[in-house]
Amino acid sequence: MAERRFEIGRIPGFATVAVATFVMLYLPIATLVAFSFNEGNSIAVWEGLSLHWYREAWDNQAVKDATARSLIIAVCAAVISTTVATMAALGTTRRAKFRGETFIYVAINQPLMVPEIVTAVALMIFFGMIKVATGYQGLGYLILAHSAFCIPFAYLPIRARLEGMDLSLEAAASDLYATPWKTFRHVTLPLLGPGILAGAMLAFVISLDDVIITEFVKSGGQDTLPTYMLGQLRRTMTPEVNAISTALLALTVMLLTAFFLLTRKRD
Amino acid sequence: MTEAVTIEARNAVKAFGQGDHVVRALDDVSIQIRKGEFFTLLGPSGCGKTTLLRLIAGFEMPTSGTILLDGADITELPPNKRPVNTVFQSYALFPHLTVAENVGFGLTMQGRPRAEVTARVAEMLALVKLEAMAGRKVSQLSGGQQQRVALARALAPQPKVLLLDEPLSALDLKLRKEMQVELKRLQTETGITFIFVTHDQEEALTMSDRIGVMSAGKLQQVGSPKDIYTRPVNRFVASFIGETNFLPATVVPGGVRLATGDVVEVAAQARGDVTLTVRPEQVRIVGAGEAGAIAATVKFLVYFGTDTHCHLALADGTEVVARVQSPASGEAGIEAGSAVGLRFASGAAQVLED
Amino acid sequence: MASRAEERMQRQSARNGWLLSLPALGLLLIAALGPLLIIFVYSVLTPGQYGNVVWEFSWDGWVSILFTRDIFDGTLGLADAHLTIFWRSVSLSLMTTLATFALGFPTAWFIATRPPRQRGLWLFLITIPFWTNLLIRTFAINEVIRQEGVLNTFLLWTGVIERPLSIIYTDTAVLIGMAYVYLPLMVLPLFAAIDRFDMRLLEAGYDLYASRWQVLRRVILPIVKPGIVAGSILVFVPSLGAYVTPRVLGGGKNMMIGNFIELQFLAGRNWPLGAALSVTLLLIVTAALLIYVRAANRGSNPHG
Ligand SMILES: Nc1ncnc2c1ncn2[C@@H]1O[C@H](COP(=O)(O)OP(=O)(O)OP(=O)(O)O)[C@@H](O)[C@H]1O
Ligand SMILES: [Mg+2]
């Protein structure tokens, strides 16, 4: 029989609860993924393996449109939010602390703190007024709203990267006759690259996942994938929703893996 | 013959912080550094060495005072417009560039033609013996190699002055010794003015043409290594560089009188109470009761190999250390507890005012 | 004290800092921060006939959070329906916090005591659900607990039950769902706190005759308290404002504040009431965050 050692970090029952938690965490997701490959149209009774529902979703014009819309919005929001977040991160690090810096920091992180439903309602009213005033009903509102709430997600990894960067590198560049712009172009930006990419990926994922703000801000016929899925709730659910979810899930996991590899490898 | 001055600081003051928390990192420092010399700034941690270098490089602006380069005021010139380059303590090599790109960075930024950059980079890499590493990323180099790249990079644009902030502190002892020789060679070969920062007194003494000793933001003494060692101007300099004895004394005609009543012949401009300083190796141990010798008792001995440190006490209890050659085996040496006499080598004792 | 050149540099640096932050601030102002101010204004206007508002000042939005006006005689009475919703929101959020803590603490401890090489993987397993679409996770749990869902199918098949359990569209369903989706928010800060915990303190505890339980209660919990506070706030705050989970799992009737706010706007019933509710939610959340900031500050110098 194995010798029982007194393990210092062990607390009886904790490992069991932990493993059970992991199982509970993944079982529903696994089920969701499994039934996306179901032959029949039940999301509880297994009727055989097939890609039927992926084909179904692929052929569904509404799903195609929603996917395109989701991607357009997420790409625009990621680009815009990452650009402004990079500038803000450069503005709030690597210089002596200035008055208002804390204010800027809090303002940028504000979307993380306000309940999304409140922002959603506020945007619905505000953009509603603009829609009436200008007559413009396009995707611009969604892009604008997504860009705004993605800012903190882009800002935080970029800022972290900047703070971990050796200040003397930029000093060295300016010592070697680089103008401030050339220093930025040849030293700061290349070193910041992975941070910016990581920030953009997070922003993309966050935008792609958004339900509430999109639901309230969108004009008629502007469903994104998540709001389309939410709409399916009213009908009998088929594994089509599972297929869409699984595809989204795969995309997220891919981006996240890339994100972790990017942020981990800093030399 | 007056030697040309390259870098000059006039009444440079640098204060950090505000209100009650002002730190005067530099407190009215005036210094002239000559063309082509190897000048070392020496002082304890936090005395303002880095701050002075940063003012010269242009990373920081003085709170008051001016910095001159070849007689021209460069106080407000940004670092990229000064023909002054720095070797950083952490090297600050660009991790995303190769060795060759690092070395060529300054020349590229100056807009020199590609061919000239390539040629100069090759020349610099040869100078620091790193030709084989040109295509590597800097993260693939050892500490000593990175150090050489940093040197080559800073020397490549042929600056008028090279600033080196503790460039050797990250290296182990053996590499350090090698690089000391290497640095000296580079300085002689290029003829560039080096301003070198260290808090290793031995390094300062062996490498420098002149040394500036700093303490608490003030320049205490500037002079050749020999000057600084043999003629320290105050107690701080005397104790910071090398080991020394301090003996309380009073000025009398022709010399000073120790607390024991013995009179030591020495030139003294001051009056009243002073401190007499003498290096341990300048203290000679003679027989007890020898004429003119100061009576002392041997308290204990510390063996250092070739030398032995004799810790002695004078009649009034003042402690004095003498460094003597260790006796050969079999030979009888001085023993703890014995009564002896002390003499100071002629001209070795010195009067300090504070 | 500072020279003119120094001052000029400082001022320039601060100006550049502001200039660089300006685009982000501007975007946030028009699409996040600014519109919040409108909510405050709308909460003191008069409801319009078909939704929206009439620009006339009125406290009615605020009053109707707690009271209803009798349609016939105009007297005020407590709005029971509203109180039920508040009560449900607060109690479900608290229970969610407790449930996630009960599961999350052992999990975080488990991850933190893995060998360093494994730790990253376990942590990654927690982070994936964290970044996965909340709606997808809610759907996943929905498919498990619904009437003809996986759980019931399985239990019926094994014969443990004879009739399907009715979990879906109850408060329990919402609780299960929220605990499921917010669990990573509890585990991550707890892990951060436990990871910093010096395991030698346990040795000291056991050395001084404490039992495992006493060590847990007297040594571990007090020291990782900042992590517990952080995790609790991170779970409580979004639970209180939850919208998707109660909508999917609670059906139409088991509303929480978030759904109730939506109802005021989308069903076009009472915009000022919706706005007042939003402001209330915002204030509660702000209060919770302030508690968190204070606790976190205290936590940063535990021996001070
Ligand atoms: N940016 C700064 N802000 C505030 N105080 C500073 C700053 N830079 C330096 N100081 C202070 O100025 C004093 C001198 O610092 P400096 O770096 O010049 O010392 P040093 O002689 O180089 O020391 P070391 O040998 O440790 O490198 C120190 O007291 C330091 O704390
Ligand atoms: Mg220094």
Side-chain angles (χ1 to χ4, degrees), chain B residues 46 49-51 89 165-166 197:
Chain B
K49 305 178 298 279
T50 298
T51 307
Q89 181 166 3
D165 192 354
E166 305 196 32
V197 164

Side-chain angles (χ1 to χ4, degrees), chain C residues 39-48 53-63 69 272:
Chain C
I39 288 279
F40 282 82
V41 177
Y42 267 51
S43 72
V44 289
L45 294 177
T46 309
V53 288
V54 178
W55 285 81
E56 270 169 39
F57 179 85
S58 153
W59 284 116
D60 275 1
W62 284 95
V63 171
R69 202 177 289 276

